[in-house]
Amino acid sequence: VLYATDTVSVPFLGPGLDATFTYDEDGYNVEFDYPSDWYVEGDYGDFYVGTIRDIEDMDEPEAGEFYMNIFFLDKSWAEGDTPEETLEEMLVWIEEDGELEVSSIKSTKVGGKDAAFITLSGESSDFDANIDGMVVIWEQDENYFGQALGFTSEASFSKYKGTMQAILDSIEADIDY
């Protein structure tokens, strides 16, 4: 497990993104920018980014805390051929989670690549809390989708949405797993 908790001096990279996390193990070469006062943990292509220092505490976000999980899905395992189709298939289990209010699927871009997203809010049985957040799936390359779930306590996601988008836009990945 790699941890990034030290401030790194680099040029300004985006809205509050002043540090870079690099992971090059297990067939994953992934790099992204993040705010230096946030915490990052990565292991086997699964990355946790946020204001919560102990990832074990992420299931009950407190006011002002933000958590994001980034990972890469082999397209041969995906239920769809596009980000929209894959997200549509994910909605089955997302909608089974508590009393979540889920938006319709919308198209967007992540790092200039085709992507789809939904917003969600409400009581989550998976996280044992009221959450407010977003799920994004994008075309990482011809073999992988990128996927991110970002959330915070109820009704406070809007202040993190721009930072989440900037982190996702900064991702550079070469995956050979």
Side-chain angles (χ1 to χ4, degrees):
V1 176
L2 298 178
Y3 300 93
T5 56
D6 296 328
T7 301
V8 179
S9 178
V10 295
F12 181 72
L13 303 169
L17 307 184
D18 55 358
T20 301
F21 179 76
T22 302
Y23 183 87
D24 190 8
E25 288 186 33
D26 311 312
Y28 296 90
N29 182 343
V30 178
E31 184 173 288
F32 57 85
D33 304 325
Y34 68 99
S36 62
D37 59 344
W38 285 21
Y39 304 97
V40 179
E41 185 177 315
D43 197 13
Y44 297 103
D46 202 7
F47 306 96
Y48 304 92
V49 186
T51 62
I52 303 169
R53 182 176 187 98
D54 187 351
I55 297 304
E56 298 300 319
D57 292 337
M58 67 89 182
D59 61 344
E60 295 183 32
E62 307 230 351
E65 292 182 327
F66 174 78
Y67 165 84
M68 180 169 51
N69 176 223
I70 303 168
F71 63 96
F72 300 93
L73 174 64
D74 188 313
K75 287 183 178 180
S76 67
W77 302 339
E79 296 290 329
D81 294 328
T82 66
E84 289 84 359
E85 290 174 2
T86 303
L87 194 50
E88 181 73 36
E89 291 298 321
M90 288 180 63
L91 281 176
V92 172
W93 65 263
I94 290 172
E95 290 173 340
E96 291 175 357
D97 179 22
E99 300 295 321
L100 288 175
E101 187 175 309
V102 180
S103 73
S104 61
I105 297 173
K106 297 178 178 73
S107 296
T108 189
K109 298 282 185 184
V110 168
K113 300 170 184 167
D114 289 339
F117 74 95
I118 57 169
T119 58
L120 42 91
S121 64
E123 182 68 30
S124 169
S125 57
D126 282 346
F127 296 103
D128 199 25
N130 279 320
I131 63 169
D132 185 24
M134 165 186 277
V135 177
V136 183
I137 297 179
W138 66 93
E139 294 271 354
Q140 181 57 44
D141 60 32
E142 69 242 14
N143 297 314
Y144 290 89
F145 287 120
Q147 182 173 328
L149 163 65
F151 69 88
T152 188
S153 56
E154 189 171 5
S156 60
F157 178 71
S158 61
K159 75 180 197 176
Y160 294 105
K161 185 177 179 183
T163 303
M164 179 176 172
Q165 181 71 48
I167 291 169
L168 297 179
D169 285 341
S170 76
I171 293 174
E172 295 184 24
D174 180 24
I175 304 164
D176 185 23
Y177 180 73

